[in-house]
């Protein structure tokens, strides 16, 4: 073939996207070093372009492009199991395993924002709760060994932020007790979780990254091997990963992993494809648990992310890909911002208030508090259990801790709330952001179990504000309690308009709408008040009298809720928590205990893992809309659907049936 023809072919090949040629991990094998470099650049361009349309975890993925490519080059997924801690950094993995349609990322029927088994055989762990990957890896690698699958490896990708979680160290303790398994732990060290990683682990890793002896050895070795040209540089990259074990002893630094009996390779430049590949190959060949310590940069290659001091675009909404500026315009303040303003006001008034966050200072609204009173806000890292118990200790010492956390992560600290806070009657307030349906982050992030779990804690008091004013009021009430735990829960997103009550009962229940005819009593939990009012209007159009109330404090059940229920034909509870063992169940049980036999229909989220999608789409999917609820209540009043409403007095049955004749046909 003539040179001109070759040149033309090369031009055509160069014009074809390398990324588009990747249908699976083994397509990486034939790529040259130059093509791999091009692939990394194309992935970053793709991520910025596509994630900016839907929102998602941009910064973490930009930081692991080369590391993920190297993992898939060296290991053979799905034969080799790759486990991502949290999954914040799994977009690159999705691209390399044949999923390059990001049009519907994190939306209904689109790609999930985290690994998902239903999407691909390459995805293993779906949960996005941090610090669990090493336990998964321990179990999988043991299973491979016990079943004779010694040709299979397990790779756990864990961030330095996840190392602040205690579960990581429980796993490492067990992994170090058995040194015969094919297990590689890749520590993605970018110095950050959401924000900069805190604690002793962070200080150690930062010391490794910045120590002069490492930098000196690094530069000297690079110059030395550089004299030998490309072969020398290749040798340098290959041995660099193992240098630190020697270096730490040489420089008299106490090695973190010295007593764990786990091979340690690193630190390695996580953006150096050749170095990462060589180091991972060494780790793979070792035949025992190995830690590969990689240094990466969150937001790598995207200037707006690098300039974002807060979290380097850890998670973004819809943004302008050129500038990084948000293109979303909130019509109202967020629930988080309302809490942020109010807790700062309360902290200014009360010097005994202290804040606690689990590595999420800004996402949970404690940043302003911390800026004003830096000594009174504690970041414990990704350690929710510790947060709860240390809060009990702070309460014992005379302070009132406010633990701000996502509702889904509260699940992890249940035992501590029960046994350390509640048992000891500690005055601790838990503020649960992202409660109920969160939407695009999917099953592991829906805050739908908090009400069912926490309401069984003896002595606990739980409030669910319906609007911004209610949040301010109920937060003030919560921090005034010093003889047991209090909980404030609210959803993700913007606060709706204020819903003014017609009246308030003596025990604090707000009556939002009161009907002349006592047919249906609608008990709303928090933001479900707007749906309850919509239902009442629809029922009124059908001649059914519906009264809507907001208990404000849903646990324990206020006495006035029970007394109101005595006079109605049907009670309907509406909550955005799981229906099983939810607030509706509690209301029904308390009614029966008080001798009230009014039928109760308990509406809430189904007892299942709910896929990602917008909050509105999900509520419609599970039947929590004004139209659906009103239609069901009409059928209950007519005696066509269980539970049947209690019958009217004899003199009113016929006229009511007449009124509802048309409704039954709708």
């Amino acid at each position: 073939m003539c040179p001109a023809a070759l040149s033309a072919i090369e031009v055509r090949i160069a014009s074809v996207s390398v990324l588009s040629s990747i249908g699976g991990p083994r397509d990486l094998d034939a790529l040259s070093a130059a093509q791999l470099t091009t692939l990394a650049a194309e992935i970053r361009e793709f991520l910025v372009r596509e994630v900016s349309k839907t929102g998602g975890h941009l910064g973490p993925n930009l930081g692991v492009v080369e590391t993920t490519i190297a993992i898939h080059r060296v290991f053979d997924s799905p034969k080799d199991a790759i486990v991502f801690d949290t999954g914040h950094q799994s977009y690159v993995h999705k691209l390399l395993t044949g999923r390059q349609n990001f049009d519907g990322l994190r939306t209904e029927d689109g790609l999930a924002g985290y690994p998902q088994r239903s999407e691909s055989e390459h995805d293993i762990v779906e949960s996005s709760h941090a610090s669990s990957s090493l336990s998964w890896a321990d179990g999988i690698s043991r299973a491979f060994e016990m079943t004779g699958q010694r040709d299979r490896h397990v790779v756990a990708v864990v961030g330095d932020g996840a190392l602040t979680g205690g579960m990581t160290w429980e796993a490492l303790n067990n992994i170090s007790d058995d040194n015969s398994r094919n297990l590689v732990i890749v520590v993605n060290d970018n110095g950050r979780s959401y924000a900069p990683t805190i604690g002793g682990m962070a200080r150690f890793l930062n010391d490794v990254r910045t120590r002069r002896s490492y930098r000196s050895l690094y530069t000297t070795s690079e110059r030395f091997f550089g004299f030998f040209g490309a072969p020398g540089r290749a040798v340098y990259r290959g041995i660099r990963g193992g240098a630190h074990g020697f270096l730490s002893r040489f420089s008299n630094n106490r090695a973190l992993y010295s007593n764990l009996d786990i091979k340690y390779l690193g630190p390695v430049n996580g953006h150096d494809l050749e170095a990462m590949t060589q180091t991972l190959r060494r780790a793979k060949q070792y035949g025992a648990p190995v830690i590969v310590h990689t240094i990466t940069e969150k937001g790598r290659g995207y200037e707006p992310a690098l300039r974002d001091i807060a979290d380097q675009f850890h998670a973004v909404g819809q943004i302008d890909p050129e500038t990084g500026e948000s293109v979303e315009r909130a019509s109202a303040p967020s629930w988080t911002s309302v809490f942020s303003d109010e807790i700062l006001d309360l902290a200014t008034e009360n010097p005994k208030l202290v804040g606690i966050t689990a590595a999420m200072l800004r996402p949970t609204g404690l940043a302003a508090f911390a800026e004003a009173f830096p000594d009174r806000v504690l970041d414990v890292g990704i350690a929710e259990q510790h947060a709860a118990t240390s809060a009990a200790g702070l309460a014992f010492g005379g302070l009132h801790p406010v633990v701000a956390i996502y509702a889904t992560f509260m699940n992890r600290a249940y035992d501590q709330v029960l046994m350390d806070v509640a048992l000891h009657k500690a005055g601790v307030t838990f503020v649960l952001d992202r409660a109920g349906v969160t939407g695009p982050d999917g099953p592991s992030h829906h805050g739908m179990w908090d009400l069912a779990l926490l309401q069984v804690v003896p002595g606990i008091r739980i409030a669910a504000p319906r609007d911004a004013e209610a949040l301010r009021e109920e937060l003030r009430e919560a921090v005034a309690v010093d003889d047991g735990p209090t909980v404030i829960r609210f959803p993700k997103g913007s606060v709706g308009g204020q819903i003014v009550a017609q009246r308030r009962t003596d025990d604090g229940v707000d009556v939002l709408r009161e009907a002349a005819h006592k047919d249906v009593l609608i008990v709303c939990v928090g933001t479900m008040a707007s749906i309850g009012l919509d239902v009442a209007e629809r029922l009124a159009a059908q001649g059914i009298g519906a009264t809507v109330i907001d208990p404000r404090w849903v646990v324990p059940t206020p006495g006035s809720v029970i007394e109101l229920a005595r006079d109605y034909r049907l009670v309907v509870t509406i909550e955005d928590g799981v229906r099983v063992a939810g607030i509706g169940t509690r209301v029904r049980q308390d009614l029966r205990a008080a001798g009230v036999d009014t039928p109760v229909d308990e509406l809430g989220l189904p007892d299942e893992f709910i896929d990602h999608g917008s909050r509105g789409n999900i509520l419609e999917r599970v039947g929590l809309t004004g139209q659906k609820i009103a239609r069901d209540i009409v059928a209950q009043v007519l005696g066509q659907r269980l539970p049947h409403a209690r019958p009217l007095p004899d003199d009113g049955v016929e006229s009511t049936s007449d009124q509802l004749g048309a409704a039954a046909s709708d």
Side-chain angles (χ1 to χ4, degrees):
M1 186 175 293
C2 68
L6 280 173
S7 178
I9 292 173
E10 290 171 349
V11 169
R12 285 198 301 272
I13 292 174
S15 67
V16 176
S17 165
V18 179
L19 177 59
S20 64
S21 71
I22 305 298
R26 299 285 52 84
D27 291 335
L28 297 170
D29 297 344
L31 298 184
S32 66
Q35 288 174 313
L36 290 169
T37 300
T38 299
L39 174 63
E42 290 180 358
I43 288 175
R44 286 195 169 90
E45 292 172 1
F46 178 96
L47 290 173
V48 172
R49 182 178 66 251
E50 297 301 321
V51 177
S52 67
K53 299 175 184 176
T54 61
H57 290 98
L58 182 56
N61 283 281
L62 292 173
V64 296
V65 174
E66 291 86 1
T67 296
T68 308
I69 293 173
I71 289 172
H72 277 294
R73 286 255 295 173
V74 174
F75 296 94
D76 186 16
S77 177
K79 178 184 177 182
D80 295 330
I82 302 174
V83 177
F84 291 94
D85 202 290
T86 73
H88 291 161
Q89 72 287 64
S90 64
Y91 295 179
V92 184
H93 164 77
K94 289 176 183 270
L95 290 173
L96 299 179
T97 53
R99 289 166 282 176
Q100 296 183 12
N101 182 2
F102 274 45
D103 290 345
L105 178 68
R106 302 168 71 242
T107 63
E108 193 168 18
D109 299 325
L111 285 180
Y114 299 94
Q116 192 169 59
R117 289 183 177 180
S118 62
E119 282 185 7
S120 173
E121 62 181 345
H122 297 277
D123 291 0
I124 295 174
V125 177
E126 299 188 12
S127 173
S128 57
H129 291 193
S131 309
S132 64
S133 63
L134 298 194
S135 296
W136 271 97
D138 177 50
I140 296 170
S141 62
R142 285 183 188 275
F144 286 172
E145 184 179 51
M146 294 170 71
T147 56
Q149 302 180 74
R150 298 184 180 274
D151 60 337
R152 302 182 71 179
H153 288 74
V154 181
V155 182
V157 183
V158 58
D160 58 293
L163 296 182
T164 62
M167 195 172 171
T168 296
W169 297 99
E170 294 175 29
L172 279 172
N173 182 57
N174 283 271
I175 291 169
S176 66
D177 197 45
D178 179 3
N179 277 334
S180 62
R181 288 174 282 148
N182 295 325
L183 171 57
V184 177
I185 301 167
V186 179
V187 178
N188 175 36
D189 179 11
N190 58 25
R192 310 177 72 88
S193 45
Y194 285 81
T197 307
I198 59 86
M201 170 56 70
R203 287 192 295 272
F204 172 84
L205 294 177
N206 186 64
D207 177 63
V208 171
R209 289 192 298 270
T210 60
R211 61 180 56 150
R212 181 175 300 176
S213 53
Y214 170 71
R215 294 199 307 271
S216 176
L217 181 62
Y218 168 70
T219 55
T220 302
S221 300
E222 187 178 29
R223 287 196 300 269
F224 175 77
F225 285 101
F227 284 124
F228 298 94
R233 289 190 292 273
V235 172
Y236 164 74
R237 292 190 181 99
I239 69 165
R240 180 184 166 194
H244 181 254
F246 166 77
L247 177 63
S248 63
R249 293 188 292 272
F250 179 77
S251 58
N252 292 318
N253 286 296
R254 182 169 59 90
L256 176 67
Y257 302 102
S258 61
N259 294 317
L260 287 176
D261 199 24
I262 301 177
K263 179 74 171 178
Y264 176 83
L265 302 179
V268 186
N269 181 356
H271 304 298
D272 186 331
L273 258 170
E274 290 188 54
M276 279 300 307
T277 301
Q278 292 291 339
T279 305
L280 288 173
R281 283 174 177 161
R282 291 188 63 218
K284 182 179 181 179
Q285 295 166 358
Y286 190 63
V290 181
I291 290 174
V292 176
H293 181 186
T294 69
I295 307 296
T296 63
E297 183 179 37
K298 195 172 183 177
R300 175 86 170 188
Y302 186 42
E303 191 61 31
L306 297 177
R307 290 198 305 264
D308 182 36
I309 299 175
D311 64 6
Q312 292 182 286
F313 282 20
H314 177 83
V316 298
Q318 294 176 309
I319 61 172
D320 182 329
E322 296 295 327
T323 65
E325 297 292 328
S326 175
V327 297
E328 300 174 337
R329 296 292 180 262
S331 57
S334 68
W335 286 96
T336 307
S337 67
V338 174
F339 162 71
S340 178
D341 293 342
E342 189 63 22
I343 194 63
L344 177 58
D345 288 346
L346 289 168
T348 304
E349 299 168 11
N350 183 1
K352 292 187 177 182
L353 280 185
V354 294
I356 300 178
T357 177
M360 301 181 73
L361 187 70
R362 293 183 182 279
T364 60
L366 286 179
F369 185 177
E371 290 169 6
F373 304 101
D375 296 334
R376 290 166 54 191
V377 177
L378 311 174
D379 188 342
V380 300
I382 303 175
E384 293 84 1
Q385 294 169 299
H386 171 68
T389 300
S390 68
L394 288 165
F396 177 78
L399 301 173
H400 189 102
V402 178
V403 183
I405 195 168
Y406 283 8
T408 182
F409 301 139
M410 194 68 215
N411 305 345
R412 314 183 81 173
Y414 177 77
D415 182 68
Q416 287 69 33
V417 173
L418 181 68
M419 291 298 169
D420 294 317
V421 179
L423 178 63
H424 296 86
K425 297 181 171 58
V428 177
T429 296
F430 296 94
V431 177
L432 306 187
D433 203 326
R434 275 67 165 176
V437 173
T438 58
D441 286 329
S444 63
H445 266 55
H446 292 311
M448 56 188 282
W449 293 280
D450 58 318
L451 293 172
L453 286 171
L454 294 175
Q455 71 160 312
V456 302
V457 174
I460 201 165
R461 280 158 275 195
I462 304 175
R466 65 180 182 268
D467 56 28
E469 186 56 38
L471 171 55
R472 298 184 188 98
E473 185 180 40
E474 290 160 32
L475 181 61
R476 287 182 172 270
E477 294 172 5
V479 300
V481 175
D482 61 4
D483 62 350
T486 54
V487 178
I488 307 289
R489 70 175 317 256
F490 48 80
K492 179 181 181 180
S494 299
V495 183
Q498 185 176 0
I499 301 174
V500 180
Q502 293 184 356
R503 65 183 179 92
R504 178 171 289 179
T505 66
D506 292 340
D507 58 353
V509 173
D510 280 348
V511 179
L512 308 181
R513 175 180 176 132
E514 195 158 19
H517 300 289
K518 297 182 178 182
D519 295 315
V520 183
L521 178 67
I522 302 175
V523 182
C524 300
V525 175
T527 57
M528 306 309 285
S530 58
I531 293 178
L533 290 169
D534 181 30
V535 171
E537 290 182 10
R538 293 173 182 270
L539 293 177
Q542 304 292 340
I544 300 173
T547 293
V548 182
I549 63 173
D550 171 15
R552 299 177 63 253
W553 288 88
V554 296
V555 175
T557 305
S560 61
V561 173
I562 297 172
E563 293 309 310
L564 284 166
R566 291 183 187 274
D567 300 327
Y568 284 79
R569 302 171 58 197
L570 176 69
V571 173
V572 177
T573 63
I574 309 176
E575 58 192 295
D576 60 348
V578 65
R579 182 171 59 244
V580 176
I583 299 302
T585 301
R586 187 182 192 97
V587 169
R588 174 171 51 80
Q589 292 174 340
D590 288 345
L591 289 179
R592 300 299 178 262
V596 179
D597 63 354
T598 307
V600 180
D601 194 8
E602 306 150 32
L603 306 182
L605 300 175
D607 184 24
E608 62 188 46
F609 293 108
I610 299 174
D611 207 356
H612 59 278
S614 70
R615 177 178 171 90
N617 287 342
I618 291 172
L619 292 179
E620 184 174 4
R621 194 190 312 165
V622 301
L624 291 180
T625 64
Q627 184 181 31
K628 175 64 166 57
I629 296 171
R631 186 182 298 119
D632 288 345
I633 292 175
V634 169
Q636 290 166 324
V637 171
L638 286 171
Q640 298 173 347
R641 184 179 185 274
L642 292 173
H644 297 161
R646 288 194 298 198
L648 284 168
D650 291 340
D651 60 351
V653 174
E654 185 174 340
S655 62
T656 300
S657 298
D658 291 340
Q659 290 177 342
L660 296 177
S665 63
D666 290 343

